Amino acid sequence: MPELPEVQTTVNGIKPYLINKKIKSCSVFVKKLRWNLQKDLTKKIINLKILEITRRAKYIIISGNNFYLTIHLGMTGTLRIASKKDMRMKHDHFEIQLSSNKILRFNDPRKFGMIFYSIKHPTLFHKLLINLGPEPLNKDFNDEYLFTKTRNRSVAIKSLLMNSNIVVGIGNIYASESLFLSGIKPSKASKTLTKKNCRDLVVSIKNVLKEAIKKGGSSINDYINVDGKSGYFQFDFKVYGRTSQPCHICQSDILQIKINQRSSFYCKNCQK
Ligand SMILES: [Zn+2]
């Protein structure tokens, strides 16, 4: 599943091809992704000029004067820039033809992605975007904030980190990695985290995400950069997917457990 770094990498990658370009036409090849696409979507966006591409949580927001096209990549979605001569690929469900003659293509084998048009900014009204927690790389996600949010909560810290009402965009991979880097066991009850734990965790989360963005994202499955290059860097993972392999610090075996139905990886020596 694309996580925040992959989505940010996608935004960075498509941006130069989209800014100040007009939407010449738009084609829908599959009408239903996670939900049905708006019936008049293609009509609504024709001739609009794209002025900005931003990201909020894992939503990509393409916008111009009084319009917003919000895209979520779901479990397996990717966006790529193609030329007219490039054949469509299997699972290409949606595309926008630009005034530059380039094409923005949305591919999604499992069809959990979403695309919708609005005249208001989606964070002002859409049920999935209105209650989102802070961005992990912003200043409002800090040790004080995390300490406050963890009080009175018995839920495992890993699950708390993956709750987008608390903080957005941290999925299984980066939750596992940042907990290892801060020496905190993923199953630890949130309310038992000390102030120091919260400080270490916030620093680790920011570092691990920044590093991943620098390297171009990292999801194991189906992730391809907009220029078609693989964005994998799973070989750098300290714990994620490394069941029974030696910990890089103490050499003990990395353990795998389930927390809230999700595989979680940790070192029982290094994480308390
Ligand atoms: Zn260890």
Side-chain angles (χ1 to χ4, degrees):
M1 186 189 298
E3 294 198 22
L4 188 148
E6 290 77 48
V7 178
Q8 185 62 49
T9 302
T10 300
V11 168
N12 298 345
I14 62 175
K15 209 174 200 169
Y17 296 96
L18 267 61
I19 296 284
N20 290 324
K21 301 296 183 293
K22 253 186 164 174
I23 297 175
K24 244 174 43 182
S25 58
C26 162
S27 311
V28 175
F29 306 112
V30 162
K31 292 193 177 78
K32 188 175 182 287
L33 296 169
R34 184 167 166 190
W35 292 295
N36 285 323
L37 266 66
Q38 290 146 309
K39 282 203 181 79
D40 50 357
L41 177 66
T42 48
K43 272 193 211 138
K44 294 258 194 216
I45 65 173
I46 283 178
N47 286 325
L48 295 176
K49 190 176 179 182
I50 298 168
L51 298 174
E52 207 177 11
I53 324 282
T54 53
R55 178 190 58 74
R56 174 69 176 117
K58 295 199 287 182
Y59 295 89
I60 297 167
I61 305 169
I62 298 173
S63 62
N65 286 330
N66 298 316
F67 89 92
Y68 299 89
L69 188 68
T70 305
I71 300 176
H72 193 284
L73 301 174
M75 306 281 288
T76 54
T78 49
L79 284 169
R80 71 179 195 283
I81 300 290
S83 300
K84 274 187 166 171
K85 61 174 176 24
D86 298 329
M87 297 280 280
R88 266 173 54 212
M89 298 193 330
K90 198 179 176 186
H91 309 300
D92 281 348
H93 302 318
F94 176 84
E95 66 179 41
I96 290 175
Q97 291 91 27
L98 300 158
S99 52
S100 59
N101 285 328
K102 292 277 186 198
I103 302 167
L104 178 70
R105 286 198 167 126
F106 179 79
N107 185 288
D108 187 5
R110 291 182 64 183
K111 296 187 200 154
F112 279 110
M114 58 184 261
I115 302 172
F116 70 91
Y117 160 91
S118 60
I119 50 171
K120 255 171 68 180
H121 198 284
T123 55
L124 297 176
F125 75 93
H126 197 283
K127 62 174 188 222
L128 294 175
L129 286 97
I130 202 162
N131 290 318
L132 293 172
E135 288 286 331
L137 293 173
N138 285 2
K139 284 203 177 96
D140 52 352
F141 180 66
N142 54 45
D143 45 348
E144 251 169 64
Y145 172 83
L146 187 61
F147 187 74
T148 309
K149 289 291 178 187
T150 48
R151 294 313 91 187
N152 305 316
R153 287 180 200 246
S154 312
V155 63
I157 182 61
K158 178 165 173 267
S159 302
L160 188 97
L161 292 179
M162 291 172 66
N163 175 350
S164 62
N165 295 322
I166 303 287
V167 55
V168 300
I170 303 178
N172 209 13
I173 295 177
Y174 300 106
S176 301
E177 291 295 294
S178 48
L179 285 163
F180 174 78
L181 292 174
S182 43
I184 300 163
K185 198 170 154 178
S187 57
K188 193 176 170 79
S190 300
K191 64 183 177 190
T192 64
L193 262 74
T194 62
K195 284 197 166 164
K196 184 182 181 304
N197 283 155
C198 291
R199 198 160 53 233
D200 293 347
L201 190 49
V202 165
V203 170
S204 301
I205 289 168
K206 289 179 193 278
N207 285 343
V208 89
L209 290 174
K210 277 189 212 155
E211 186 72 5
I213 292 170
K214 222 162 72 185
K215 292 186 177 172
S218 64
S219 279
I220 303 290
N221 298 308
D222 307 308
Y223 178 69
I224 303 168
N225 268 326
V226 282
D227 56 1
K229 278 188 210 134
S230 157
Y232 299 166
F233 87 119
Q234 68 266 44
F235 298 114
D236 284 359
F237 292 153
K238 305 277 191 297
V239 287
Y240 186 82
R242 296 193 63 244
T243 313
S244 305
Q245 292 180 44
C247 167
H248 290 316
I249 296 174
C250 74
Q251 312 303 318
S252 345
D253 286 0
I254 298 297
L255 302 179
Q256 182 176 350
I257 52 168
K258 286 256 187 216
I259 298 173
N260 205 5
Q261 262 104 168
R262 304 295 302 271
S263 295
S264 308
F265 308 89
Y266 75 106
C267 170
K268 72 173 190 313
N269 265 340
C270 297
Q271 291 174 263
K272 300 288 180 196

